Amino acid sequence: MSDQDSPHHGGPVQATEGRLNWLRAAVLGANDGVVSTAGLVVGIAGATEERGTLLTAGMAGLLAGSLSMAAGEYVSVCAQRDAQRAALELEEKELRAHPRAGFAALTAALERRGLSHGVAHAAAGELSRNDALRAHARVELGIDPDDLTNPWAAAVASFLSFTAGALLPLLLIVLPPADWRLPVTVLSVLAALVATGWAGARLGGATVRPAVLRNVIGGALAMAVTYGVGTLLGSAV
């Protein structure tokens, strides 16, 4: 019987935490789309000014990145969902085999949340009468059996957020005149990285300034390196 005490148990708190996790994932996906695609198209721009080449390379990077993100998120969330189901199955078997021990563990978990022994004992009895497995899953495991992670939703969210982020540098590297492409793309990408860094910090409860600086410096470094490599390869070829 698990004695793990997690604060993420059913109700509005868990629902809010779940939404925040999806928002964080969306922000990170968009940030990855901006940085990876910007690095790619800026590197290509260092080698050539041909709009068709830039568009082809950018589209290839966008599709490869978004599909890779979606596949990776799907596999990761499937593994998480499998682990949740396995934990629920094990909990159900233990409750059937040792109901008294299960009741004691639930009471102890409620006591660790700050309830007195008498109140925890009464609450455990009430929860167990309604649905013992759901009570143990939420209180001890931090799992809501009615709201397991959805791998398809995660994959679609990652695909869309990466695509949205990648479209910014892709469009900006092909739409302006040749002389304006690079400065417009670089400045717009840095502005987007400020926005995603700010959003990620706010959603995660972190300090905004260091998060934004890390984001901007990382993106600027990526574009500088790929542009330098593209320029060298372009002159060599």
Side-chain angles (χ1 to χ4, degrees), residues 87-170:
L88 289 173
E89 290 175 3
L90 178 59
E91 190 75 17
E92 185 176 19
K93 290 178 181 178
E94 291 181 342
L95 285 174
R96 289 176 178 174
H98 308 287
R100 289 177 178 268
F103 184 84
L106 181 59
T107 302
L110 290 170
E111 286 185 74
R112 287 195 298 274
R113 295 180 184 278
L115 300 181
S116 66
H117 178 75
V119 174
H121 188 276
E126 185 70 22
L127 291 171
S128 298
R129 278 193 296 274
N130 293 333
D131 190 328
L133 177 59
R134 181 171 281 99
H136 283 265
R138 289 178 170 175
V139 175
E140 294 188 76
L141 303 178
I143 299 174
D144 185 350
D146 299 324
D147 189 27
L148 298 182
T149 53
N150 188 329
W152 284 109
V156 171
S158 295
F159 179 89
L160 293 177
S161 62
F162 186 97
T163 299
L167 281 174
L168 175 68
L170 174 59

Side-chain angles (χ1 to χ4, degrees), residues 39-49 182 223-237:
L40 174 63
V41 296
V42 167
I44 300 297
T48 180
E49 293 183 351
L182 194 60
M223 289 187 288
V225 170
T226 55
Y227 181 76
V229 171
T231 302
L232 289 175
L233 291 177
S235 60
V237 175

Side-chain angles (χ1 to χ4, degrees), residues 135-216:
H136 283 265
R138 289 178 170 175
V139 175
E140 294 188 76
L141 303 178
I143 299 174
D144 185 350
D146 299 324
D147 189 27
L148 298 182
T149 53
N150 188 329
W152 284 109
V156 171
S158 295
F159 179 89
L160 293 177
S161 62
F162 186 97
T163 299
L167 281 174
L168 175 68
L170 174 59
L171 293 176
L172 291 175
I173 205 68
V174 298
L175 293 180
D179 293 341
W180 287 90
R181 288 174 188 166
L182 194 60
V184 168
T185 300
V186 170
L187 291 176
S188 299
V189 165
L190 293 180
L193 293 178
V194 169
T196 56
W198 177 87
R202 294 287 299 203
L203 290 170
T207 305
V208 170
R209 181 175 295 180
V212 169
L213 286 176
R214 287 194 299 266
N215 219 28
V216 170

